[in-house]
Amino acid sequence: MNGKSRPAGHALVEALIAQGIDTVFGVPGESYLAVLDGFHEHRERIRFIACRHEGGAAFMAEAQGKLSNWPGVCFVTRGPGASNAAIGLHTAFQDSTPMVLFVGQVAADQRDREAFQELDYRQVFGPGTLGMAKWVGEVQQADRLSEYVARAFHTAMQGRPGPVVLVLPEDMLTTPTASAVLPRARLAQPWPAPGALRDLRAMLLDARRPFVIAGGSGWTPESVRALQRFAEAWELPVGCGFRFQDTFDNRHALYAGDVGIGINPKLAARLRDADLILALGVRLGEMTTGGYSHLAVPRPAQRLVHLHAGAEELGRVYSADLLINCALSAAGPALAALEPPASGPSWGDWAAAAHADYEANHVAPAVEPLDMAVVIKTIQRLAPEDTVYTNGAGNYSAWLHRYTRYYGLQHHGRTQLAPTSGAMGYGVPAAVAAALLYPQRTAINIAGDGDFLMTGQELATARAHGARRLISVVVDNGSYGTIRMHQEREYPGRVSGSELANPDFAALARAYGWNGCRVDATEQFEPAFKDALAADAPSLIHIKLATDVITPRTTISAIRAAARKG
Ligand SMILES: Cc1ncc(C[n+]2csc(CCOP(=O)(O)OP(=O)(O)O)c2C)c(N)n1
């Protein structure tokens, strides 16, 4: 106890400030008025960004977690608010993003009656390895609030990072407490066992075609710098895991491409041909392993070293030859300490060929009248180096993933906000969060027409809170194109449920106080984008793309023709 009594709702805000949080995202509810009052009390030190939908708020907090490498924080009300927020929790779980979701709860004397908006959060949100949260806690006593908040931050960060849910009964929040807040969470950093590093060195010396897949959540700039030194010393080709493309510098001569959806077929072949895979920080999920095909499951043909921050991830799916439990902040320095052989490894040609394949994949065939490869390359040519790129789910993201050269996170921290969970609607709120949290940086969202309208209401949040360097590029093909593509493969010509009738997105943006314009041909894009970069307000560029232009590699008509033949 520190002697100063205040409502627990205020103590909660003080506890967040102690954890280093200066911005939270949420939608208010009558269930946590005492906390909202705490935000008012401490408004000089922490801000509550009121969003337009809890899905948007939860995505923003998830993006905050990715960008800051520290838990993002979201507040939502009981049942309906919590239900809306579920998509952000699921994304944080699949993406291993640290996040704390605070949820209102009915007062203790109303519990278990299915009182108004009552929900059993422990049942709904997990925990479990296939759940939505690492831990669901309920603060029953005001005096124990700081204990719970501290545990929430530790749990979200340690091991494999992820989301935590803290449930706040209404009567607890108004109860006075004199308990002191706890200091900012200090994290335990597991380092690899010395024997493991010796074994890794021996395996590297034995290998003829080694390959590194780097990614996952928790890398720090220093650690990635050291990872690069390790790769250079051993001449190792490096690929980045699905939607962790910003881990290793894509401009580096050892970079081999992204190991995700729409993978360069030559890279997929190279992975299968490798004799040693170092999986560093990635959990080797379905998208990074090409549906568990580049690495056969559970026992890959290649020798496998799996390094991960969460001990529970190791050996969970793959039977690896060497398991290393190591925080990603420690992984780079640990690997950089491995002494390369005196005569130098002899994989230079293998690594150079991997990089040449990546470069060749960057060359795009011309497409008329709207060339998405040119659009993406123009964006990166003109945007500042530390721009944060965001997207949700949809085929449009294939161009972004293929043609953007992400800088390694040693340069500007994370620059890619993209859901490995494949959640549509992620990109707009993620970009809004980036623009509000880092106003000196530019945030650029690329969205599909389907994707955009799932969370487009957050344009209002951006405007309300003064976002400026924020651009959304909506790729409108009049279709839930990804689903259309799958339909044409499985049921050629039988289009069902995947067509969209769209609003005028530019006009919609203007209604929200954004700039808005439309682009129908490639040459119109550059001037429109320059205007958006120079503008003092957020801008939306509405791009019209033919439905047929479905991926950087093929068209709907080609898929349909092939499916009819086959
Ligand atoms: C929240 C959510 N709902 C549904 C899906 C299934 N889904 C994946 S991609 C997609 C279509 C995306 O359409 P659009 O944003 O227009 O992009 P396109 O594929 O046309 O480029 C759908 C419906 C999903 N991934 N997430």
Side-chain angles (χ1 to χ4, degrees):
M1 304 288 152
N2 67 359
K4 184 174 153 277
S5 181
R6 70 286 199 218
H10 287 211
L12 172 53
V13 175
E14 290 166 23
L16 292 175
I17 294 168
Q19 292 296 339
I21 301 297
D22 62 10
T23 304
V24 307
F25 299 92
V27 174
E30 67 273 35
S31 59
Y32 67 95
L33 291 175
V35 184
L36 291 168
D37 193 61
F39 283 116
H40 181 77
E41 179 73 16
H42 296 290
R43 61 192 176 282
E44 304 299 328
R45 298 172 70 194
I46 190 164
R47 60 182 169 158
F48 182 95
I49 303 283
C51 304
R52 307 309 291 257
H53 187 285
E54 289 84 355
F59 278 148
M60 288 190 208
E62 200 277 351
Q64 180 184 27
K66 278 198 173 106
L67 285 169
S68 64
N69 202 13
W70 193 248
V73 177
C74 183
F75 277 85
V76 298
T77 196
R78 299 179 290 218
S83 305
N84 273 347
I87 192 168
L89 267 189
H90 181 255
T91 295
F93 197 91
Q94 288 235 313
D95 289 38
S96 306
T97 306
M99 170 176 165
V100 183
L101 176 72
F102 290 92
V103 191
Q105 180 58 296
V106 301
D109 61 352
Q110 306 294 328
R111 281 303 297 277
D112 295 326
R113 292 180 176 153
E114 198 190 334
F116 182 59
Q117 301 182 334
E118 184 178 1
L119 193 60
D120 185 335
Y121 301 108
R122 287 202 173 104
Q123 294 274 4
V124 173
F125 292 134
T129 46
L130 293 180
M132 304 246 257
K134 285 180 82 176
W135 176 56
V136 181
E138 180 163 333
V139 189
Q140 274 149 358
Q141 290 162 293
D143 286 345
R144 292 185 62 195
L145 182 78
S146 16
E147 172 193 331
Y148 275 85
V149 173
R151 178 165 165 195
F153 275 74
H154 279 97
T155 306
M157 286 298 295
Q158 291 199 153
R160 174 182 165 186
V164 162
V165 177
L166 264 196
V167 180
L168 308 168
E170 193 177 336
D171 53 334
M172 181 282 295
L173 289 173
T174 51
T175 304
T177 175
S179 66
V181 299
L182 291 171
R184 185 180 162 109
R186 278 180 291 269
L187 305 174
Q189 303 283 4
W191 276 72
L197 287 175
R198 258 197 320 273
D199 292 348
L200 171 57
R201 186 168 186 276
M203 288 168 80
L204 273 170
L205 291 175
D206 253 9
R208 301 201 183 281
R209 294 176 306 282
F211 193 93
V212 173
I213 306 175
S217 160
W219 288 97
T220 58
E222 297 70 31
S223 190
V224 169
R225 216 169 274 129
L227 170 70
Q228 185 177 312
R229 286 201 302 278
F230 163 68
E232 286 164 353
W234 289 82
E235 289 188 274
L236 294 164
V238 182
C240 287
F242 175 54
R243 293 187 169 165
F244 288 105
Q245 284 173 258
D246 54 352
T247 308
F248 192 84
D249 197 331
N250 294 187
R251 301 162 304 170
H252 196 281
L254 290 168
Y255 185 61
D258 69 301
V259 186
I261 297 183
I263 188 171
N264 179 358
K266 290 202 168 155
L267 176 55
R270 187 172 299 281
L271 284 169
R272 285 193 289 271
D273 193 33
D275 64 351
L276 174 66
I277 303 268
L278 306 189
L280 306 179
V282 286
R283 67 182 172 87
L284 293 175
E286 184 180 346
M287 293 301 152
T288 296
T289 58
Y292 305 102
S293 71
H294 313 319
L295 282 88
V297 70
R299 187 80 185 136
Q302 311 91 327
R303 297 183 93 190
L304 175 63
V305 177
H306 195 183
L307 179 151
H308 202 279
E312 72 285 359
E313 276 316 305
L314 295 166
R316 182 158 80 95
V317 178
Y318 279 101
S319 162
D321 298 278
L322 179 61
L323 305 176
I324 304 180
N325 183 206
C326 177
L328 298 190
S329 53
L335 294 166
L338 280 186
E339 198 186 326
S343 56
S346 52
W347 311 314
D349 292 348
W350 161 256
H355 184 64
D357 287 348
Y358 166 70
E359 287 296 340
N361 196 44
H362 211 72
V363 178
V367 178
E368 293 284 340
L370 194 290
D371 191 328
M372 276 302 295
V374 173
V375 165
I376 298 298
K377 290 180 180 188
T378 303
I379 290 174
Q380 195 167 32
R381 176 164 50 81
L382 298 175
E385 213 186 87
D386 61 353
T387 293
V388 177
Y389 296 95
T390 79
N391 63 272
N395 267 35
Y396 68 88
S397 66
W399 283 276
L400 180 68
H401 294 342
R402 181 164 168 188
Y403 297 116
T404 307
R405 294 180 197 265
Y406 289 95
Y407 299 167
L409 61 72
Q410 71 269 39
H411 298 291
H412 307 289
R414 292 215 61 179
T415 51
Q416 180 184 38
L417 299 179
T420 71
S421 68
M424 287 173 74
Y426 178 81
V428 169
V432 172
L436 295 176
L437 292 166
Y438 301 91
Q440 73 288 2
R441 293 175 71 172
T442 300
I444 299 180
N445 160 242
I446 316 290
D449 45 349
D451 180 46
F452 178 85
L453 269 190
M454 287 211 175
T455 47
Q457 75 286 342
E458 302 304 339
L459 265 57
T461 308
R463 201 66 182 121
H465 294 277
R468 287 169 55 232
R469 299 181 187 198
L470 174 58
I471 299 171
S472 186
V473 178
V474 180
V475 185
D476 171 5
N477 60 358
S479 171
Y480 284 131
T482 310
I483 308 310
R484 173 75 185 272
M485 174 182 74
H486 289 294
Q487 271 173 349
E488 295 286 358
R489 276 191 194 134
E490 308 294 328
Y491 304 95
R494 294 171 65 85
V495 181
S496 172
S498 56
E499 285 172 305
L500 294 174
N502 283 318
D504 175 341
F505 287 106
L508 184 65
R510 288 194 291 272
Y512 279 110
W514 285 43
N515 300 316
C517 72
R518 173 171 161 152
V519 163
D520 293 274
T522 313
E523 62 277 10
Q524 295 165 357
F525 183 75
E526 182 163 334
F529 186 65
K530 280 183 172 158
D531 285 350
L533 278 178
D536 203 30
S539 302
L540 181 147
I541 301 174
H542 177 183
I543 291 187
K544 284 300 284 181
L545 183 68
T547 313
D548 200 46
V549 184
I550 196 63
T551 79
R553 295 184 204 280
T554 189
T555 58
I556 287 285
S557 19
I559 294 172
R560 180 184 292 187
R564 283 190 167 147
K565 255 199 228 151

